[in-house]
């Protein structure tokens, strides 16, 4: 198991996680990223929502006269 303080917990799969309401989430992947920040839309699996969002494209040039 690998723990990233700014991200998910990586667990060798397959994985079963029992959620608070008693439902079981399963992953058959060889490595599963389990969300620790609870921002994921696919909780309990990480969707990288913990990453800071930044501008990926360069700003357009200034066209002031």
């Amino acid at each position: 198991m690998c723990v990233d303080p700014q991200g998910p917990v990586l667990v060798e799969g397959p994985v079963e996680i029992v959620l608070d309401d008693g439902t079981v989430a399963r992953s058959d992947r060889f490595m599963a990223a389990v969300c620790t920040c609870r921002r994921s839309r696919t909780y309990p699996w990480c969707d990288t929502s913990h990453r800071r969002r930044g501008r990926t494209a360069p700003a357009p040039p200034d066209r002031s006269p």
Side-chain angles (χ1 to χ4, degrees), residues 3-25:
V3 179
D4 179 351
Q6 300 299 318
V9 174
L10 300 178
V11 182
E12 288 185 32
V15 178
E16 289 187 356
I17 297 176
V18 179
L19 302 175
D20 293 337
D21 64 0
T23 60
V24 177

Side-chain angles (χ1 to χ4, degrees), residues 4-56:
D4 179 351
Q6 300 299 318
V9 174
L10 300 178
V11 182
E12 288 185 32
V15 178
E16 289 187 356
I17 297 176
V18 179
L19 302 175
D20 293 337
D21 64 0
T23 60
V24 177
R26 292 181 176 87
S27 174
D28 291 328
R29 293 178 171 242
F30 69 93
M31 183 71 68
V34 180
C35 177
T36 58
C37 71
R38 293 192 169 252
R39 292 183 214 151
S40 175
R41 290 186 207 147
T42 60
Y43 187 82
W45 314 118
C46 179
D47 67 0
T48 69
S49 293
H50 61 275
R51 293 183 185 165
R52 292 188 176 144
R53 303 292 181 205
R55 177 173 245 175
T56 56

